[in-house]
Amino acid sequence: MTILGEIALWIALPVALWGAVVSFIGGRTGRSDLVLSGERTVHVLTVLLIVTSLGIIAAFLGNRYEYLYVANYSNRELDTYFKVAGLWAGQRGSLVFWTLLLSVFASIAVFRNRRRNREFMPYVSGTLLGLLSFLVIVLLFADVNPFEKMGFTPANGRGLNPQLQNYWMTIHPPTLYLGFTSFAVPFAFAVSALLTGRLDSRWIAVTRRWILLSWFFLTIGIIFGMRWAYEELGWGGYWFWDPVENASLLPWLTATAFLHSIQIQENRGMLKVWNMALVVITFLLTLFATFLTRSGLIESVHSFAENLRIAYIFLGFMGGLAALSALLIVHRLPSLRSENQIQSFLSRESAFLFNNLLLLGVTFAVAWGTLFPLITEGFFGETINVGPPFYNRVNIPIGLLLLALMGIGPVIAWRRASPRNLRKNFTVPLAAAAAALAVLLLTGVRHTMALATFTISAFVMTVVVIEFWKGTKARARIAGEGVLRAFASLVKRNRRRWGGYVVHAGVVVVFTGLAGAAFDKAVVQELAPGEAVTVRSAFGNEYRLVYESLSHSRPRVAENAQENDWRWTALMTVYRNGERVGIVRPERRFYPVMDQASTEVGIVSAALEDLYVIPQDVDLDSGADRVVFEVKTLPLVPWIWSGGLLVAIGALVGLWPPVPKRARAAQRRGVRSPVPAGASG
């Protein structure tokens, strides 16, 4: 199977190049046979890349250590689960996986549009096949061929990075890749619209679900990565403004801006140039994330670069795409003029535009902080690191403004908001925010940013709840339905709008969880078996952890295991306010093959906070089994994961296909929708 995979990869290159060429020629000349050939090529290429990927997985499962990629990211002791995940564990395999996902999405786009949007499809196919051709060329000729063999076959492989041997890391990269690659479809439709001159809102309507799909995958991919960092890196946090973390955030920010600004184009015929530019920028940022992870120019726990050649190749490709896209936009500027102008600062258009400017402000700040060390090293020979204080100082105030706009933009009127509109929509939310602020001050909260976050969150959440309540009540009155049925019908009839409100509610919960970091508490103490450490949380809960015992052993029994392989595990019983709530087993592990240690933390979660136990040091030589523990209470961290789940649910509501108009009409008449001829009941 591995040999078949290598052959399939070589066949994929001429297939992709052929499809790209005939698609563009077919679109230019109007030859439907060439267009059809290009579309069929997309499906053939997908099959070839599936075979290629299966070949890599077969090499991992078969312990084929003559292959350089397998030898570097696997060994005989690695669990089968992680061997399958080896496809995206390193640079070579992840590029194959990236290419595979892009081809799958290209096939879906071609299949779904086989009988519609035919004026766009030649250039859509050509653009996607052009991107795939580039990626296959990189795989074959840029020293990242996953099937490269060594001159010998080692007895065992080097193994997978211990920090990657975690459940969340096996699903975090694929989810992000799904977000990155699916955005290629909106980009391809935008290029097609520019080439054909069809620059009304139709290309946006065609790609709206693709944009939301990409945003959904990017969102949950980032949340999964935060969860991995929280559990695996052993420092009690979930976001460190690492360069590769930043690279995944950048396209999410611009995609979020695009999702908001297309509403202005659809409703008011404005921001056409802006939207076209945002599509191009977002796609380029997905490539930038790929470049940064593989460039070798940055140090990151997420990075798996092996050579610099690929960095220059990606930079050149990104520069060429940016130049061609800019030329196309400039060429079509007369057709991209806005049909209307903003009439008032107090309007939904202004709120959405301000929202976009703030999102791009965060994008620039994050990009600048990420690239600044590279710039200073390249021009001045001195590396100046940009740490979390810079990002927090710049982005937290902007983030709070964005949070406030989530409660303003969706309910303020189009064109010009009247005093009546403002009073009707904002009196109760502002009163709720003021009440929340008063309660917080009375309970002793004095942290400025936390106060601002909780107060604004109360305002936005009140707006969301009121909108759902008003809509449900109106639906119940008009249709004569019960509250629950009216709520379900309300969401079903306009999934895009109400799914957006659910997303906003989820973001509010996430922001609230992030603000809890202002009240973290920590205790560092050395313990012997039988001793205890006590820490009190910001919510007044007292945690007492009794250190029961320590076990230490080699992590695996294998012929090639080295004598200094070790793992030690502490057993601790946890009491909250005197009541036993669980057991934690924090660990330290050492992997001599990679000369690397890892930490497995102990976590006890409650509704409002987490108890987080970090084993820092152990004294095994004295025989006393004394261990230094850092014990933290982290308020509202569980809300981050709950809010992320709520955001995902909202995005899925927006993605869910709407009820067809005929079916809705039949439901209103109280009759069953007709079954199409030939359909089975």
Side-chain angles (χ1 to χ4, degrees), residues 164-418:
L164 302 182
Q165 296 182 39
N166 178 280
Y167 167 76
W168 295 105
M169 187 47 71
T170 60
I171 61 175
H172 160 61
T175 309
L176 275 183
Y177 294 169
L178 286 166
F180 291 153
T181 53
S182 57
F183 205 88
V185 175
F187 172 75
F189 271 95
V191 170
S192 181
L194 289 168
L195 288 172
T196 59
R198 298 177 181 272
L199 296 167
D200 54 15
S201 296
R202 187 178 171 194
W203 72 272
I204 289 177
V206 171
T207 60
R208 186 188 299 118
R209 267 202 182 79
W210 283 101
I211 298 160
L212 187 55
L213 180 71
S214 174
W215 186 88
F216 165 75
F217 282 128
L218 287 174
T219 301
I220 61 174
I222 290 171
I223 294 292
F224 289 162
M226 292 170 66
R227 183 72 186 193
W228 166 77
Y230 183 66
E231 290 187 1
E232 189 65 27
L233 297 186
W235 59 287
Y238 32 77
W239 191 269
F240 196 66
W241 297 106
D242 177 276
V244 176
E245 289 177 341
N246 295 347
S248 66
L249 179 64
L250 292 173
W252 183 88
L253 290 168
T254 53
T256 304
F258 182 62
L259 279 171
H260 288 83
S261 64
I262 59 175
Q263 297 183 50
I264 303 178
Q265 181 171 341
E266 291 176 312
N267 287 279
R268 301 280 289 132
M270 300 164 58
L271 300 185
K272 294 181 180 180
V273 176
W274 182 275
N275 288 331
M276 194 64 73
L278 279 177
V279 169
V280 173
I281 291 170
T282 302
F283 179 70
L284 290 175
L285 286 174
T286 66
L287 295 179
F288 175 75
T290 311
F291 152 76
L292 201 64
T293 309
R294 295 159 178 82
S295 65
L297 298 175
I298 50 97
E299 292 184 4
S300 167
V301 69
H302 306 74
S303 179
F304 38 66
E306 296 171 358
N307 62 74
L308 284 175
R309 177 184 297 183
I310 195 172
Y312 301 124
I313 292 173
F314 264 91
L315 274 178
F317 184 68
M318 288 164 56
L321 274 182
L324 288 173
S325 301
L327 286 174
L328 283 173
I329 292 174
V330 171
H331 175 64
R332 296 295 186 182
L333 275 179
S335 302
L336 291 170
R337 291 197 183 109
S338 294
E339 299 168 16
N340 296 287
Q341 300 295 323
I342 293 179
Q343 299 177 8
S344 171
F345 177 77
L346 293 175
S347 65
R348 193 174 300 184
E349 300 95 306
S350 292
F352 280 11
L353 181 58
F354 191 38
N355 173 82
N356 271 18
L357 292 173
L358 290 174
L359 285 167
L360 291 185
V362 176
T363 303
F364 176 79
V366 174
W368 176 251
T370 304
L371 296 175
F372 187 71
L374 302 180
I375 295 170
T376 55
E377 184 177 7
F379 286 95
F380 306 107
E382 180 182 2
T383 301
I384 300 177
N385 292 321
V386 178
F390 163 79
Y391 295 105
N392 293 335
R393 190 161 47 248
V394 173
N395 292 326
I396 288 178
I398 300 176
L400 291 176
L401 289 173
L402 285 167
L403 183 63
L405 283 171
M406 286 199 307
I408 298 172
V411 295
I412 197 170
W414 290 104
R415 296 182 179 87
R416 187 187 302 274
S418 65

Side-chain angles (χ1 to χ4, degrees), residues 15-16 18-24 26-27 31-47 103-104 106-129 132 189:
V15 169
W18 163 262
V21 171
V22 298
S23 293
F24 280 112
R31 287 187 54 179
S32 58
D33 57 334
L34 294 181
V35 173
L36 183 60
S37 177
E39 292 180 345
R40 288 176 175 172
T41 298
V42 174
H43 302 310
V44 173
L45 187 60
T46 300
V47 173
S103 69
V104 168
S107 286
I108 294 172
V110 168
F111 179 78
R112 285 182 55 84
N113 291 280
R114 64 193 183 279
R115 294 189 181 90
R116 55 186 178 181
N117 306 312
R118 298 307 302 166
E119 66 275 21
F120 291 120
M121 291 314 297
Y123 299 111
V124 170
S125 300
T127 301
L128 293 171
L129 286 165
L132 288 164
F189 271 95

Side-chain angles (χ1 to χ4, degrees), residues 407-431:
I408 298 172
V411 295
I412 197 170
W414 290 104
R415 296 182 179 87
R416 187 187 302 274
S418 65
R420 181 176 179 275
N421 170 260
L422 297 176
R423 286 194 302 271
K424 176 183 176 183
N425 290 309
F426 299 118
T427 299
V428 174
L430 287 173

Side-chain angles (χ1 to χ4, degrees), residues 436-632:
L437 178 60
V439 171
L440 290 167
L441 291 173
L442 289 173
T443 54
V445 178
R446 293 295 184 268
H447 191 282
T448 304
M449 288 302 177
L451 276 172
T453 304
F454 296 147
T455 303
I456 298 172
S457 295
F459 166 76
V460 179
M461 189 62 82
T462 304
V463 169
V464 173
V465 171
I466 289 175
E467 286 300 297
F468 270 110
W469 170 246
K470 289 194 303 186
T472 301
K473 191 166 72 169
R475 173 71 188 175
R477 184 179 66 253
I478 295 171
E481 299 172 339
V483 174
L484 292 179
R485 184 172 180 181
F487 176 81
S489 301
L490 180 76
V491 175
K492 189 184 298 184
R493 290 174 63 84
N494 194 342
R495 290 184 172 92
R496 181 182 173 192
R497 177 188 178 188
W498 299 108
Y501 277 122
V502 175
V503 168
H504 285 187
V507 173
V508 169
V509 176
V510 170
F511 265 77
T512 304
L514 295 173
F519 310 99
D520 292 354
K521 294 187 178 182
V523 172
V524 178
Q525 189 169 325
E526 184 180 39
L527 301 177
E531 295 180 342
V533 59
T534 300
V535 61
R536 184 174 291 274
S537 75
F539 289 105
N541 295 313
E542 183 180 83
Y543 290 90
R544 184 170 176 267
L545 292 86
V546 180
Y547 171 32
E548 307 286 359
S549 62
L550 181 73
S551 62
H552 44 89
S553 62
R554 283 165 39 173
R556 296 183 183 277
V557 179
E559 292 181 1
N560 63 328
Q562 301 183 29
E563 291 301 322
N564 59 342
D565 289 358
W566 57 262
R567 166 192 299 175
W568 61 258
T569 305
L571 176 66
M572 306 185 80
T573 304
V574 182
Y575 298 87
R576 182 172 58 234
N577 301 326
E579 181 181 350
R580 186 178 182 274
V581 293
I583 293 175
V584 293
R585 295 179 176 84
E587 290 186 358
R588 289 281 290 173
R589 302 176 183 177
F590 181 70
Y591 299 81
V593 174
M594 307 188 74
D595 191 26
Q596 186 172 344
S598 71
T599 300
E600 300 295 321
V601 299
I603 301 174
V604 175
S605 289
L608 295 176
E609 61 194 4
D610 275 0
L611 179 74
Y612 194 90
V613 185
I614 308 169
Q616 291 190 336
D617 196 13
V618 62
D619 179 11
L620 296 176
D621 297 331
S622 67
D625 289 348
R626 298 187 68 87
V627 179
V628 177
F629 295 100
E630 182 178 7
V631 182
K632 295 185 172 185

